[in-house]
Amino acid sequence: QCLLSGSWRSDTGCRMVISVLSKDGSFSGSYLPGPAASNSEILTSPLEGSQQDAGLVPQPTFSFTVRWRLRAQMTAFLGQCYVGTNGEETLHALWLLREAADSPAEDWKATR
């Protein structure tokens, strides 16, 4: 069974620590960009999210957002937790980074 609680590391060296999931599947934690991050001022940032009930499916979906400290940005992650044949848990996720735009005319380039 795949549960998000604990410490995770991405292929690019980002680190994520997720607290114990509540009964409703919600969780919080922290996220720290890896060495690939272009700005060394980015600090550990809070994250909030939820996971599908792992009692319903063994490889649940999840989503969470990271509110970056010191920057007018947020990132949303959406993915699924998989358990391999060796019992190892892996996360596969897509993400969107949103920056604050100065005006509606600049909106088109604010999401990556």
Side-chain angles (χ1 to χ4, degrees):
Q1 188 172 4
C2 200
L3 294 174
L4 291 179
S5 295
S7 181
W8 298 88
R9 182 177 298 274
S10 74
D11 294 340
T12 60
C14 298
R15 290 176 293 164
M16 176 173 70
V17 177
I18 296 178
S19 66
V20 176
L21 274 72
S22 66
K23 289 183 181 184
D24 68 356
S26 62
F27 59 86
S28 60
S30 59
Y31 193 93
L32 180 66
S38 61
N39 187 338
S40 62
E41 290 184 359
I42 296 178
L43 305 172
T44 300
S45 297
L47 66 82
E48 298 280 335
S50 63
Q51 176 180 303
Q52 181 182 23
D53 185 348
L56 297 176
V57 293
Q59 301 182 117
T61 58
F62 63 87
S63 66
F64 64 90
T65 58
V66 175
R67 182 178 41 89
W68 298 106
R69 296 185 191 261
L70 304 179
R71 306 202 69 188
Q73 298 176 335
M74 290 192 74
T75 302
F77 293 81
L78 179 66
Q80 187 167 356
C81 186
Y82 292 99
V83 180
T85 55
N86 61 356
E88 184 175 315
E89 298 172 330
T90 59
L91 304 180
H92 289 244
L94 298 173
W95 58 270
L96 289 173
L97 172 71
R98 177 64 189 210
E99 298 178 286
D102 292 331
S103 70
E106 300 293 312
D107 188 67
W108 66 273
K109 65 180 181 178
T111 302
R112 292 185 252 166

